[in-house]
Amino acid sequence: MFHPRRTLRALLPPLVAGLALTALPAQQATAASTLTNGGFETDGSGTATPSGWSEYGDTGASYTESGGRGGGHRLSHWSSSAYRVETYQYLSGLTPGDYRLTAWVRSGGGQKSAHLALKNCGGPEQRTDLPVSDSGWIRIVVPVEVTGNQCTVSVTSDANAGNWINVDDITFAPGTSGLAVKGADISSLPKSEAMGGVYRSASGGTGDAVALLRSAGMNYARLKVWVDPADGYNDKAHVLAMAERIKARGMKLLVDFHYSDAWADPGKQNKPAAWAGHSYGQLKKDVYDHTYDVLHALKAQGTTADMVQVGNEINGGMLWNEGSTDNWPQLAGLLNSGYDAVKAVDRSTVAALHLAEGGDLEGTRWWFDNAVSHGVRFDAIGLSYYGYWHGTLHAFQTTLDDAATRYGKPVFVAETAYPFRLDSEDALENIIDLDSELVPGYPASPTGQTRWMNDVASIVEAVPHGHGLGVFYWEATWTARTGNGWDPADPSSGNGWENQALFGYDDRLLPATAWFRHR
């Protein structure tokens, strides 16, 4: 395990001496069309200016040291006092076109800014912030269009005393990246509006929440569907009405089938009351008929679903006990009934399978290995990833990358969220309400929420071979409204998630919606 304090204490003497170094000229005179010394192996440890690279600013805070990701060394930024430093390399003679910078990074967090950038490439500067990860390496990418035969690769820290980053194995090659899905679950919205919920722009003007989110850059909406919910919401009729609003704004639609009358998740997968006592053979027909019914009605009104989840967080299966993972042949039959119904309505609709615990590599492998061996059909893999429950960002990236590679399917984050504050707006204690529950480096603040979303998006963007589809935020519009609590059977139940919505306690759109404008 990486121990930054031990490493940095050992480096204090050379670092202090290095602070006297002055900034180098603005660019290397020996520019090349390929990146030089991207692994920082040429010079060994303690080199203030790595071969092929230039530096600007507080140059003593940038140096090579042992402990690389791939080889024996890495680039580090650190100083015992506040610093601003850029380590950069100027490339020329480039053929115009799309390029992608890839690098492996670690960061202790706390900086005003720590990012990789591609600039002076002929168009707008492109940058990707370093996620906070103080032990495991994380891969991030930066795409750019080169239009003028040159480009500058930059590693920049604007940091407080003691902040540090590691960077290694940088490559610059033809390619591109970005996210097709920048979405959110807004299933709570119709009930919120019925209970008097108000939604405002960042400047305070009231508006339609769907339009406000769309104007922020959201391009995909997720809606759950229950079979016969106690409060009448999240049923077929409400999904149909919401789909019209979503499609009218030019957004795509993901329909999330729970196959239950209320919440389905790893802890509960209860059959709808109308299906209780049905045989396994009848349950397969129930799944098909219900899935087909909702999706066919959507298509008939001109709002065809673009993606469908056959089940919600089905780590333990669905429709217990018949569809438990204790009986994979039966679970496979139920899942394939859902898949067949999706394709019977529209072959182009993406059929996804959704698990929770997005940082659990072994659990995800176990589940999908079983699914594949039992002939389960699916087009994409969705994972829930809540950083305060599901492991580190490094574990999340490892699981996501492995799923995409191992099963040859595109992957996406079906759910993630982060608090912008800890206190509650209603009488119910929030799900996350203590500093000790937070992900280190990500405070419960508008800034912390924004950083979380951008960093999760950057990790999905970096999935190899462009297999990272995107991210859905959960639950963007579930603000505190009397009557719109967690239990559809109890009008007095509260909301433990209002501090993780994308609208604040003043009902205004929060800064974290900026993540919808991720590439």
Side-chain angles (χ1 to χ4, degrees), residues 231-421:
D231 61 0
Y233 289 92
N234 299 294
D235 63 351
K236 174 185 170 183
H238 283 89
V239 168
L240 287 168
M242 279 296 293
E244 290 191 315
R245 294 173 62 182
I246 289 161
K247 293 281 188 169
R249 296 287 174 182
M251 290 190 282
K252 291 188 175 182
L253 173 65
L254 165 60
V255 178
D256 172 19
F257 284 92
H258 283 231
Y259 301 112
S260 182
D261 291 335
W263 303 100
D265 55 45
K268 53 187 177 297
Q269 294 283 338
N270 301 320
K271 287 194 284 287
W275 304 358
H278 284 191
S279 67
Y280 170 67
Q282 181 61 43
L283 286 172
K284 284 203 295 183
K285 186 174 187 303
D286 292 335
V287 168
Y288 186 96
D289 290 348
H290 171 59
T291 306
Y292 185 92
D293 179 50
V294 173
L295 297 180
H296 184 264
L298 283 166
K299 185 171 185 176
Q301 73 171 13
T303 59
T304 302
D306 299 282
M307 193 187 308
V308 168
Q309 282 179 217
V310 180
N312 187 78
E313 294 190 332
I314 52 176
N315 300 59
M318 66 184 196
L319 295 170
W320 289 346
N321 290 314
E322 287 81 355
S324 163
T325 49
D326 291 337
N327 192 330
W328 265 103
Q330 289 195 173
L331 174 57
L334 293 170
L335 294 173
N336 281 337
S337 282
Y339 180 91
D340 289 344
V342 173
K343 297 301 181 178
V345 174
D346 198 295
R347 296 295 303 175
S348 67
T349 299
V350 175
L353 296 176
H354 171 210
L355 300 187
E357 301 177 19
D360 180 7
L361 174 64
E362 293 307 317
T364 302
R365 276 186 176 180
W366 174 85
W367 200 96
F368 277 99
D369 281 357
N370 271 292
V372 170
S373 69
H374 286 91
V376 176
R377 298 186 291 279
F378 60 99
D379 303 323
I381 293 172
L383 298 176
S384 292
Y385 175 62
Y386 296 97
Y388 36 73
W389 293 329
H390 295 156
T392 64
L393 287 167
H394 171 75
F396 164 55
Q397 181 168 72
T398 301
T399 306
L400 198 68
D401 289 358
D402 184 78
T405 302
R406 191 176 181 90
Y407 307 107
K409 304 290 187 182
V411 294
F412 64 97
V413 175
E415 298 179 17
T416 190
Y418 207 77
F420 59 89
R421 58 195 292 170

